[in-house]
Amino acid sequence: MVSKSIFPAVMLLVLVAMPARSSEQQADPVMEAMLQELDRSVNLLRLEAGDYDLPYFVYYAVRDVRSSFVSARNGALQSSNDGRTRMADVDIRVGSYDMDSSEDKDAGFNFNQKYNPGFMGPIDDSIPALRRTLWLLSDHAYKAALMSFHNVKAKLVNSSEPRKSASLSREQPVELIEEISEAEFDRPAREGHARELSAIFLQYPDIFDSGVEISAFRVVRYIVNSEGTRIRTVDHYYQLLAQATVRAPDGMLLQDGVTIYGRRPGDMPDLATAADRIRTLARNLVAMKDAPVLDPATVPVLMSPEATGVFFHETIGHRLEGQRQEDEEEGRTFKSYLNQAILPAFLDIFDDPSVEMFGTGSGRVSLNGFYRVDDEGVRGQKVSLVEKGVLKAFLMSRKPIEGFEKSNGHGRTQGFRPAQARMANLFIQGARPMSQARLFSRFLQEMKKQNKPWGLYVETIAGGNTNTSSYGYQAFKGKPLIAYKVDAATGKKTMVRGVEIVGTPLSAINRIIATSDRYGVFNGYCGAESGSVPVSTVAPEVLFSEMELQRTEDTNERPLILPPPDVPAAAR
């Protein structure tokens, strides 16, 4: 632990290392406001009366989001608007890289500070207004850090365990200034598309509720810190979402949707393609309404690439996030498995935020988890997590853990919570892939081998959830949206409903027996402690020797009393 007398010298070194502002930085009022207030906080933010520590690390971030959004229901426009927000985040630490105020696990329960400043900044390009936002947040963060550091040191007095890792990794400053560009959004055209696409559901009387949303976002991230990092990145996100609801004759509520993500306008489907996707969604929902409910069972399961992606995200990905390995409230499933086998030897897993697209030709798909630098200002790096089934590494933010002292560029946040190690683009690869037909044949063979009359094929899955904490079961759950009961003798597929896949990670992943050569992309958003962040998973079809199936929670209710109002054909 570094003594307090070192802090002024450390502070002087930081000041000397700060680069001069470029003309481009000076021309950007957001960046200029951040740098001006950063200089002031590094030089002047201190409590003169009393024996208080100085800040050794100061971090400012601003997230400038422009959004364009339209939605429609039943062939009529429901909303059409633009939005703009600027959200500020401040992290000020006292102590040293080896041990600092961020180690206080009870920081979120500090009731000594009665005033909590807001984190929303001005959307006008006003340097004074943004500086005042950062000023209030900095004052609050510094005082909170002082109190937290006292708590950290107090807990050490009676701790019997030696510290095994530092509080903050030392990283090279990054300077990256990207050109600001607007997301393309033809509002009249998108309004027309939303009306037309939402009207398709009116052709299916069993669908009693539905809607379509089309949106575009431009996200400009600004990051500066006292180490010299200066970042401005620009990302565009496009999305089309269609959702629909039916009710089965027994009252079970059934919902499904189509979500298409893109990072550029050309990633999004044309109107005819989007309409085809929505008609397929509607037909599947109507068929599902009359499908049988599956009883609980343990059977072989074959997952599509998209379903496999969700499975690995929930069972493996979250448990390889670095900060979970030393948190006493976490289950730490894989902490003791480093350099040991956790998967079959024919499987590899890596995460690479630098991959922008996957696939070839017309099948190329933009990856939601692509970025150049993470939310702590560290360049995103490819991380080989599992090699030939053996665990080799963890996803790392700037919070070191034992054996891993550096970030690998996976510190992520939605913008108003502390960054944590998170997935970006998770890749699962099989070393001995089979053709799709051969894998299906192996699926049938596995059923016969176990004397099972049927197995389950999962085509799509509605995300999933997992419990990684130490105060609950180390389990996961996935809810298939479109799934088929497959006859072992004939291979015939029968759609089923009301089923969930459940299990424990270590048991489930070691029941993988084969993969196909057909890969697919699951794009989405992942919610965890540091908020919702865009992610992708690239995976093949995967065959499990067995998985446990249970019935979904009962959602049976009476159907609607009256039929829907008559809809003129012209409105359909």
Side-chain angles (χ1 to χ4, degrees), residues 359-548:
T360 58
S362 60
R364 282 170 63 81
V365 179
S366 286
L367 300 184
N368 232 25
F370 164 72
Y371 56 81
R372 282 77 61 209
V373 294
D374 71 5
D375 295 313
E376 294 181 305
V378 180
R379 292 191 182 275
Q381 302 162 33
K382 178 180 178 180
V383 184
S384 181
L385 298 166
V386 178
E387 298 175 7
K388 297 181 179 179
V390 176
L391 178 62
K392 291 295 184 181
F394 297 102
L395 300 171
M396 295 298 298
S397 66
R398 292 193 65 177
K399 174 63 182 80
I401 62 174
E402 186 178 6
F404 296 87
E405 299 179 354
K406 306 288 284 185
S407 169
N408 50 38
H410 283 79
R412 307 190 67 192
T413 175
Q414 188 175 348
F416 56 91
R417 297 174 181 172
Q420 291 189 340
R422 303 283 295 277
M423 287 169 277
N425 294 324
L426 192 71
F427 290 78
I428 294 88
Q429 292 183 331
R432 302 195 304 267
M434 299 180 177
S435 67
Q436 189 176 7
R438 188 179 169 201
L439 185 66
F440 190 79
S441 177
R442 176 75 184 276
F443 180 34
L444 300 179
Q445 292 172 11
E446 189 64 27
M447 296 180 220
K448 296 170 184 175
K449 175 184 173 183
Q450 299 181 29
N451 293 319
K452 302 284 187 179
W454 57 273
L456 187 73
Y457 177 71
V458 181
E459 186 172 306
T460 63
I461 194 165
N465 58 71
T466 188
N467 177 38
T468 65
S469 67
S470 59
Y471 52 83
Y473 296 107
Q474 287 294 299
F476 68 90
K477 180 170 70 174
K479 183 178 180 181
L481 291 173
I482 300 177
Y484 298 90
K485 184 178 181 179
V486 180
D487 185 85
T490 65
K492 180 183 176 181
K493 295 180 179 179
T494 302
M495 183 178 283
V496 294
R497 61 182 169 94
V499 62
E500 293 176 341
I501 298 173
V502 295
T504 56
L506 288 174
S507 174
I509 61 179
N510 281 291
R511 291 194 170 100
I512 298 172
I513 57 177
T515 66
S516 81
D517 57 5
R518 184 171 76 96
Y519 281 75
V521 175
F522 175 82
N523 277 324
Y525 281 78
C526 172
E529 293 87 344
S530 60
S532 179
V533 297
V535 296
S536 300
T537 305
V538 179
E541 291 178 300
V542 166
L543 175 60
F544 297 81
S545 61
E546 65 175 18
M547 297 191 84
E548 184 176 350

Side-chain angles (χ1 to χ4, degrees), residues 314-333:
E314 298 296 345
T315 58
I316 301 291
H318 280 299
R319 289 173 171 82
L320 298 184
E321 293 165 343
Q323 73 279 348
R324 302 189 189 280
Q325 313 312 313
E326 293 191 350
D327 189 337
E328 294 179 356
E329 296 182 356
E330 291 287 339
R332 296 178 278 190
T333 308

Side-chain angles (χ1 to χ4, degrees), residues 122-275:
I123 58 174
D124 284 340
D125 289 337
S126 169
I127 292 177
L130 181 54
R131 286 190 64 180
R132 287 186 71 90
T133 300
L134 296 171
W135 162 62
L136 289 174
L137 289 169
S138 299
D139 185 89
H140 184 274
Y142 176 49
K143 291 172 181 174
L146 288 173
M147 287 183 270
S148 287
F149 196 43
H150 278 289
N151 293 339
V152 171
K153 290 186 289 186
K155 288 181 179 179
L156 283 179
V157 172
N158 201 38
S159 176
S160 60
E161 294 186 7
R163 289 177 53 81
K164 297 179 180 179
S165 59
S167 295
L168 185 68
S169 64
R170 290 174 168 82
E171 306 291 344
Q172 289 296 315
V174 173
E175 184 157 346
L176 175 64
I177 304 296
E178 297 181 343
E179 292 290 335
I180 296 179
S181 58
E182 297 297 332
E184 296 181 21
F185 194 80
D186 184 340
R187 183 170 299 282
R190 296 294 175 259
E191 289 177 346
H193 293 170
R195 290 188 185 96
E196 187 171 339
L197 294 172
S198 69
I200 292 173
F201 291 113
L202 296 174
Q203 302 168 15
Y204 301 85
D206 290 317
I207 295 176
F208 63 84
D209 194 14
S210 59
V212 172
E213 299 174 359
I214 304 174
S215 58
F217 298 88
R218 186 210 68 185
V219 180
V220 183
R221 289 185 307 158
Y222 296 86
I223 301 172
V224 301
N225 67 29
S226 53
E227 297 168 326
T229 287
R230 308 286 184 264
I231 291 170
R232 183 182 71 195
T233 62
V234 183
D235 291 285
H236 297 160
Y237 299 90
Y238 298 88
Q239 180 176 318
L240 186 152
L241 169 65
Q243 292 182 312
T245 306
V246 300
R247 195 177 290 281
D250 60 6
M252 180 180 288
L253 197 66
L254 302 170
Q255 297 173 306
D256 198 359
V258 169
T259 306
I260 303 170
Y261 295 100
R263 299 297 293 267
R264 54 181 60 80
D267 296 332
M268 304 306 289
D270 58 26
L271 184 60
T273 303

Side-chain angles (χ1 to χ4, degrees), residues 7 10 14 54-58 93-97 100 167-168 226:
F7 294 142
V10 171
V14 170
L54 303 176
Y56 85 94
F57 177 78
V58 181
R93 303 188 181 203
V94 298
S96 69
Y97 286 94
D100 69 25
S167 295
L168 185 68
S226 53

